[in-house]
């Protein structure tokens, strides 16, 4: 598992386009990667087209048997 920071999703997006990639859930190399758009803003107190996000992650133990 890897937990990291976030992107502001460009913070300002016009017709779906922005300077930064918008957050989301993607699969890369056999792993799921969740990047949040985040919640706040930068020096410009505005969010347009990149809604703020907060994610709650529940971690549960695996029921799979592991061979030693």
């Amino acid at each position: 598992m890897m937990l990291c920071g976030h992107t502001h999703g460009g913070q300002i997006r016009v017709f779906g386009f922005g300077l930064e990639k918008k957050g989301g859930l993607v699969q890369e190399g056999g792993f799921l990667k969740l990047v949040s758009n985040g919640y706040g803003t930068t020096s410009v107190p505005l969010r347009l087209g990149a809604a703020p996000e907060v994610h709650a992650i529940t971690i549960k133990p695996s029921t799979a048997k592991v061979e030693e």
Side-chain angles (χ1 to χ4, degrees), residues 59-67:
I59 300 172
K60 297 181 180 181
S62 174
T63 58
K65 302 225 179 206
V66 178
E67 294 184 27

Side-chain angles (χ1 to χ4, degrees), residues 6 8 12 14-15 18 25 32 38 40 49 53 59 66:
H6 67 275
H8 286 278
I12 299 172
V14 179
F15 301 114
L25 183 64
L32 287 175
E53 297 179 322
I59 300 172
V66 178

